[in-house]
Amino acid sequence: MSSLITTELVVLDQDLGAEKSGVIRALAALVVASGRATDTEALYSDAWDRESKTDTGIPGGLAIPHCRSAAVLEPTLAMARPRPAVDFGAADGPADLVFFIAAPDGADQEHLVLLSTLARSLIKPEFVAALRAAPDAEAIVALVEGALAGVPGASAAAGASAPAAAAAPKPLLVAVTACPTGIAHTYMAADSLVAAAERAGAELHVETQGSSGAQPLDPALIARAVAVVFAVDVDVRDKARFAGKPVIQAPVKRGIDEPDAMIAEALAAATDPSARRVAGDGGSGAAAAGASAAPGSGEHIGVKLKRYLLTGVSYMIPFVAGGGLLIALGFLLAGYQINANATDIVLHNSLWNLPDGGLGTYLGAVSFVIGAASMGFLVPALAGYIAYAIADRPGIAVGFTAGAVALVMNAGFLGGLVGGLLAGFIAWAIGRLRVPRVIRGLMPVVIIPLFGSIFASGLMLLVLGGPIALLMTGLNDWLSSLTGASAVLLGIILGAMMAVDLGGPINKVAYAFAVAGLAAGTVDNQVPWQIMAAVMAAGMVPPLALALATVIDRRLFSAAERENGKAAWFLGAAFISEGAIPFAAADPLRVIPAGIVGSALTGAIVMGTGVTSQAPHGGIFVFFAIGNIGMFLVAIAAGMVVSAGLVVLLKRYVRRRPVLGAETGAADAVPASVTAVAPVAGSVAAPAAVPAGASAAPQRVPVGAKH
């Protein structure tokens, strides 16, 4: 097995720029230059994607950016001791020790164990002090290899555990740590929490659900534990094991940054009868981790509401997608009039007793009936899974019932939103009640569904349903009345929203608005279908425009961007707006405005010409569900050409000023393999190969300004 780190992978006491993006790019370039990875841009992109999810800075002046990447050939460590230190998001200030962990997608277990061991070593003050005092790269390599030496059993413990006290029993805690990559933060959080528990006089056993394997906690330990700590960025595997236990949950980084606070909260929760508990059949039916009153969750109420609503929308979309396409197929086979008698045809005819229109009419009726049945689940599914996001499984039945009542009241998708939130919070509140142990097992399967449905659906029927139905009627009437300039304005707004953040919250709001209203569309009221067409067409524009721009002027884009451009043709055609993200990340101040203009134009054309879509996704591949396909293509082409032209013009004529001093020694301060990607202060993701004058910070100057 080759060494994880060599002297050529170490950069000491050099200026790598003021931004962490530059440091990560420089270290990625070292890995590629050493022959351990194939593509700087691909490696940097994967590392930056991980960094964008959670800052990798940790207290003590350390940072551990890391990723899995198909560009990596073998597990590798690259290390920098930058001067000056660079901010990686740690609460106590910038990092002067940066370890970049690059792992292949299919890294073997032995290497992953070593990588996680290194991450755990960085918790030890003496090891960190030795790294800061090391005089040269050889000393750094020796220190790292020494930390990794003799650790074949390091992975045996699924998580570190504090030594049991011999003299007096200590309160027993159990924990799970997990991060998306499962290489660094998972294990550092485990060790930090164990050390904090020892300081607090408690015993802690941790299950690390990471890349180097996970050994589940002994059920006997879980049974004895007085509380549970979840320091996770992903779902806990087999959470039902901890059902009924008081729980503290926070992102994995808090387990590194604030382990003492988390342990103190867990010990306090152990004696608090109203503490949040893990949901499950064996527990009290309390809401799952992440409910609104979660102590230490660190989430603002607005963030929680967005998560609840987007959970409902994400589970609802398959019903809409399948149902919408089937209805469109029914219209294609049997004509728009099939909606009037499809049910009668299906009930009174068969393949051996065809209706007057023949096989096409019969199959169209069958398709329409199935699609309409699927669309009928739209509001109940929306409400049910909003409630699930709040109260876990006990909330599902309560939410579905409230959604069904919203349908009865003609409250539509707004009724589903309100009913889902109401059902979720009521189910969560009932689950928090302290009940006798004899009926605790009945809480999630009987008590919560029964009384939650009574309260939530009763409120919908008696109080809220009528006003919401009036509001929905007004909204539908307003949408139906949109013509001319008002329809075009709505198209501009929706189109711009689709391009602002390319799959982010604003994009999702516009998309959710279109999808939620899709079921209200009819042959007589096609405005909801027009809104769906505007949103889908506008969302296709940014990736298609960037793909076209790479063809118009290849010199303005790096080799990696030109490769991304090839993939963007397909992604854009399939309505995957995220295909433009690599370009926007590298040059947001020029790419995003150009995309907004083109998408707004497309939305305006679609709404102005009455293009419709009965499918919520699929792009050009659901052509049979799109009305006026010709204008649909014209609208996309117009937005694509405008956006591509603006991108090219902005890249040619609006240049970014390089950082002061970038040409006066900063490049000389790093190895030759790094100079081609010298970090740029202020840039989010500066490309590795860029045209003259277009690779610095986003301070724009006119053409001809002195650089």
Side-chain angles (χ1 to χ4, degrees):
M1 183 175 65
S2 61
S3 176
L4 290 174
I5 188 169
T6 63
T7 55
E8 64 182 346
L9 292 167
V10 178
V11 179
L12 296 181
D13 306 321
Q14 297 179 8
D15 186 351
L16 298 182
E19 298 293 326
K20 60 181 179 180
S21 60
V23 178
I24 295 173
R25 187 185 292 280
L27 293 176
L30 286 182
V31 176
V32 173
S34 70
R36 293 166 173 257
T38 58
D39 188 330
T40 300
E41 277 302 310
L43 177 54
Y44 167 78
S45 177
D46 291 333
W48 185 253
D49 181 63
R50 173 63 184 89
E51 189 73 25
S52 299
K53 294 175 181 174
T54 308
D55 290 326
T56 55
I58 59 176
L62 299 171
I64 311 182
H66 55 278
C67 71
R68 289 173 174 270
S69 176
V72 178
L73 301 176
E74 58 180 304
T76 300
L77 300 174
M79 184 267 190
R81 196 168 63 191
R83 296 291 184 270
V86 179
D87 185 8
F88 272 77
D92 62 346
D96 61 350
L97 290 176
V98 182
F99 271 94
F100 178 47
I101 301 178
D105 278 339
D108 59 86
Q109 285 296 104
E110 188 175 4
H111 274 114
L112 290 172
V113 169
L114 293 177
L115 291 172
S116 61
T117 300
L118 171 77
R120 304 176 95 153
S121 297
L122 291 173
I123 296 296
K124 302 173 182 176
E126 63 276 9
F127 179 63
V128 174
L131 290 173
R132 289 197 170 98
D136 51 35
E138 288 78 6
I140 292 288
V141 171
L143 284 168
V144 173
E145 290 183 340
L148 300 178
V151 293
S155 65
S161 62
K170 299 180 179 180
L172 177 67
L173 303 172
V174 292
V176 175
T177 61
C179 68
T181 311
I183 297 175
H185 285 65
T186 298
Y187 303 96
M188 297 178 74
D191 287 351
S192 296
L193 289 167
V194 165
E198 192 169 352
R199 290 191 293 270
E203 178 182 352
L204 176 67
H205 296 262
V206 186
E207 178 179 317
T208 53
Q209 296 183 353
S211 296
S212 60
Q215 180 178 331
L217 287 163
D218 187 336
L221 286 174
I222 298 175
R224 290 170 45 211
V226 297
V228 182
V229 175
F230 292 151
V232 295
D233 288 334
V234 295
D235 287 340
V236 175
R237 303 172 199 164
D238 195 12
K239 189 187 292 185
R241 295 174 292 162
F242 306 97
K245 296 288 182 182
V247 61
I248 300 299
Q249 178 164 345
V252 67
K253 197 167 184 296
R254 187 171 186 247
I256 302 171
D257 294 347
E258 303 176 24
D260 294 286
M262 290 195 72
I263 294 299
E265 291 166 7
L267 292 173
T271 58
D272 182 1
S274 64
R276 184 177 49 142
R277 296 174 182 269
V278 182
D281 294 341
S284 65
S292 62
S297 67
E299 278 190 320
H300 187 274
I301 184 62
V303 176
K304 292 175 184 175
L305 285 174
K306 183 185 76 173
R307 176 162 54 83
Y308 301 153
L309 297 179
L310 289 182
T311 298
V313 171
S314 67
Y315 280 101
M316 174 192 75
I317 285 175
F319 293 98
V320 183
L325 289 172
L326 283 166
I327 290 174
L329 186 59
F331 287 151
L332 180 69
L333 292 172
Y336 282 110
Q337 73 282 355
I338 195 63
N339 67 320
N341 58 351
T343 302
D344 288 339
I345 291 175
V346 169
L347 292 177
H348 298 104
N349 294 274
S350 67
L351 288 172
W352 299 271
N353 179 28
L354 294 174
D356 292 341
L359 181 62
T361 297
Y362 179 72
L363 293 179
V366 170
S367 180
F368 182 90
V369 168
I370 297 173
S374 178
M375 292 289 280
F377 285 101
L378 186 154
V379 173
L382 175 66
Y385 287 106
I386 288 174
Y388 166 72
I390 299 171
D392 204 42
R393 285 185 297 174
I396 292 179
V398 183
F400 265 86
T401 304
V405 169
L407 280 183
V408 172
M409 299 293 292
N410 293 318
F413 80 92
L414 283 181
L417 291 176
V418 174
L421 291 171
L422 190 65
F425 286 117
I426 288 175
W428 174 80
I430 295 174
R432 286 175 60 87
L433 297 176
R434 301 293 294 174
V435 297
R437 184 177 297 273
V438 68
I439 66 170
R440 190 174 298 171
L442 296 176
M443 287 292 286
V445 294
V446 177
I447 307 299
I448 295 176
L450 173 62
F451 289 98
S453 297
I454 290 173
F455 288 119
S457 297
L459 282 172
M460 286 295 296
L461 279 169
L462 300 176
V463 180
L464 298 174
I468 296 173
L470 288 176
L471 182 60
M472 275 298 299
T473 300
L475 178 61
N476 286 331
D477 290 344
W478 174 69
L479 290 175
S480 300
S481 69
L482 288 177
T483 57
S486 57
V488 170
L489 178 60
L490 180 61
I492 290 173
I493 294 171
L494 292 173
M497 291 175 70
M498 291 302 293
V500 165
D501 53 2
L502 300 172
I506 297 175
N507 172 288
K508 288 293 189 289
V509 167
Y511 181 67
F513 171 70
V515 171
L518 195 59
T522 64
V523 177
D524 298 324
N525 175 25
Q526 299 192 12
V527 174
W529 296 346
Q530 294 171 15
I531 291 173
M532 189 71 252
V535 164
M536 183 154 67
M540 295 166 64
V541 166
L544 291 173
L546 271 301
L548 178 60
T550 60
V551 174
I552 293 173
D553 195 338
R554 293 169 54 84
R555 298 170 300 171
L556 297 175
F557 300 91
S558 68
E561 287 176 323
R562 292 195 293 270
E563 287 301 312
N564 286 332
K566 296 176 183 178
W569 286 112
F570 176 80
L571 296 175
F575 180 36
I576 301 175
S577 303
E578 289 83 352
I581 286 179
F583 301 92
D587 193 1
L589 295 182
R590 292 184 285 192
V591 168
I592 291 178
I596 290 173
V597 173
S599 292
L601 174 62
T602 295
I605 294 173
V606 168
M607 289 298 295
T609 57
V611 177
T612 62
S613 173
Q614 294 168 256
H617 214 290
I620 196 62
F621 299 104
V622 291
F623 62 91
F624 59 87
I626 297 170
N628 199 351
I629 184 69
M631 284 308 303
F632 183 77
L633 296 176
V634 168
I636 293 171
M640 177 178 68
V641 170
V642 168
S643 283
L646 283 174
V647 167
V648 171
L649 289 174
L650 290 172
K651 282 182 173 288
R652 284 181 181 175
Y653 301 118
V654 180
R655 302 182 179 178
R656 292 182 293 176
R657 190 193 311 277
V659 180
L660 291 178
E663 70 276 10
T664 59
D668 297 331
V670 292
S673 60
V674 183
T675 57
V677 288
V680 179
S683 64
V684 175
V690 289
S695 62
Q699 297 172 315
R700 294 173 289 178
V701 296
V703 178
K706 188 174 181 179
H707 287 255

